[in-house]
Amino acid sequence: GQNIDQPTEMTATEGAIVQINCTYQTSGFNGLFWYQQHAGEAPTFLSYNVLDGLEEKGRFSSFLSRSKGYSYLLLKELQMKDSASYLCATGNTPLVFGKGTRLSVIA
Amino acid sequence: ETGVTQTPRHLVMGMTNKKSLKCEQHLGHNAMYWYKQSAKKPLELMFVYNFKEQTENNSVPSRFSPECPNSSHLFLHLHTLQPEDSALYLCASSQDQNSEPNTEAFFGQGTRLTVV
């Protein structure tokens, strides 16, 4: 079976840095996805990690440790538009999602 | 615009009605998926089609019936639903269910379904 755990809600200040953690247990591993979902909209792809380490993509970075079953999404220079839910998903097709972390960015 | 289009965006139906949700992808993908998203619950996989063949049915009640006439279109036929079936129904597609390395799924905007 597969189990994904991430915090339900987080709040951070505009311009700050926030780290959203995700732990997972899976019978097989084929990478780890992060998606962003604004309220009432479709989830959109942010990042995919299959090897250990940090993948940087502009203001967003994603980290993976396969031995620890752990990933995080790092958001820098937060903007108000970053307020959304962030979904962690195992890469075993089809994707299995965590409950998502609702991030609120405040002024 | 993700290349995956779902219609309708909103649907209200009675428990005795029959309706269908439609999904179309313009990405040349071979795998298509139906997910259900209820409030405060994770995205739940319902059905998977790979090259038009159903490869997964995640213990979904028979009042939900999928149809995949070709790799670009996916339907979800609904009949005699219950109020607890009210949710956001999301369609997604990816290159291939068994592609290596894995590729991301692209989601449609979803259909917000309310059963009254």
Side-chain angles (χ1 to χ4, degrees):
Chain A
Q2 300 182 73
N3 188 43
I4 300 172
D5 201 24
Q6 51 182 131
T8 304
E9 293 188 27
M10 298 182 72
T11 301
T13 306
E14 192 175 16
I17 298 173
V18 71
Q19 178 174 312
I20 303 174
N21 297 323
C22 171
T23 57
Y24 64 88
Q25 295 169 318
T26 179
S27 54
F29 184 74
N30 195 18
L32 195 293
F33 286 90
W34 284 96
Y35 279 78
Q36 179 191 62
Q37 186 178 24
H38 285 99
E41 296 184 15
T44 55
F45 169 77
L46 288 178
S47 68
Y48 172 57
N49 292 66
V50 65
L51 299 176
D52 289 351
L54 188 68
E55 295 272 346
E56 297 190 67
K57 196 184 286 186
R59 292 191 299 115
F60 292 5
S61 303
S62 56
F63 172 83
L64 176 67
S65 169
R66 289 172 294 172
S67 62
K68 296 181 180 177
Y70 169 67
S71 173
Y72 67 72
L73 182 69
L74 192 71
L75 292 77
K76 302 176 186 175
E77 301 168 18
L78 280 173
Q79 302 175 9
M80 301 299 284
K81 67 178 183 180
D82 297 329
S83 294
S85 288
Y86 291 85
L87 310 176
C88 174
T90 63
N92 301 326
T93 309
L95 299 180
V96 175
F97 287 85
K99 290 187 179 182
T101 299
R102 187 186 305 275
L103 175 66
S104 299
V105 180
I106 58 176
Chain B
E1 179 60 50
T2 62
V4 182
T5 305
Q6 288 187 244
T7 54
R9 292 291 308 275
H10 301 273
L11 178 63
V12 179
M13 59 186 290
M15 289 188 282
T16 59
N17 291 158
K18 288 185 180 180
K19 297 286 184 182
S20 295
L21 310 185
K22 179 182 176 182
C23 176
E24 183 175 1
Q25 56 95 359
H26 309 277
L27 301 169
H29 288 164
N30 296 304
M32 296 188 77
Y33 313 84
W34 280 116
Y35 283 88
K36 175 183 178 183
Q37 189 174 37
S38 304
K40 299 185 178 180
K41 294 177 73 174
L43 279 165
E44 301 170 54
L45 178 69
M46 299 177 72
F47 300 104
V48 181
Y49 279 82
N50 202 39
F51 293 92
K52 301 189 297 178
E53 298 296 320
Q54 185 175 316
T55 56
E56 287 204 37
N57 175 341
N58 204 24
S59 302
V60 180
S62 60
R63 57 185 184 271
F64 296 91
S65 174
E67 179 190 1
C68 187
N70 54 62
S71 291
S72 299
H73 293 85
L74 185 65
F75 295 89
L76 187 63
H77 304 299
L78 316 171
H79 65 97
T80 59
L81 294 192
Q82 304 298 312
E84 58 264 29
D85 296 324
S86 299
L88 180 68
Y89 288 85
L90 288 160
C91 172
S93 72
S94 67
Q95 184 60 45
D96 177 342
Q97 185 181 1
N98 301 312
S99 61
E100 292 287 346
N102 202 351
T103 58
E104 71 264 31
F106 292 80
F107 284 84
Q109 297 282 62
T111 296
R112 175 71 62 186
L113 174 67
T114 303
V115 181
V116 296

